[in-house]
């Protein structure tokens, strides 16, 4: 991960925390505010959403129901 991408992820993560979760159009808003392409910010938002979910304990494994014994 490049330093630029890591910084973009941290900025996006801050926005996710401020908003209390993902909002549609976040990548476009970040591109307008901070410059850069929407695709770059979309990748940063994807990375930030993964970090945000992990921090909340809402990763994929935590969301799956426990296997029921037969």
């Amino acid at each position: 991960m490049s330093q630029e991408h890591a910084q973009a992820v941290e900025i996006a993560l801050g926005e996710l925390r401020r908003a209390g979760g993902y909002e549609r159009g976040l990548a476009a808003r970040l591109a307008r505010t901070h410059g850069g392409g929407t695709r770059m910010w979309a990748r940063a938002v994807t990375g930030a959403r993964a970090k945000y979910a992990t921090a909340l304990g809402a990763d994929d494994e935590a969301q799956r129901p426990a296997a029921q014994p037969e």
Side-chain angles (χ1 to χ4, degrees):
M1 180 183 308
S2 72
Q3 182 66 24
E4 182 179 295
H5 180 72
Q7 288 176 331
V9 169
E10 289 305 313
I11 291 169
L13 184 57
E15 287 297 311
L16 288 174
R17 287 179 178 141
R18 183 193 60 75
Y22 176 71
E23 294 177 343
R24 185 171 184 220
L26 178 59
R29 184 164 33 102
L30 290 170
R32 284 191 305 273
T33 304
H34 297 283
T38 304
R39 287 185 67 188
M40 182 209 57
W41 283 105
R43 288 189 296 271
V45 168
T46 299
R49 287 177 77 181
K51 280 186 162 185
Y52 185 75
T54 300
L56 292 177
D59 60 319
D60 289 341
E61 293 301 318
Q63 293 293 317
R64 292 191 182 137
Q68 298 296 321
E70 293 185 30

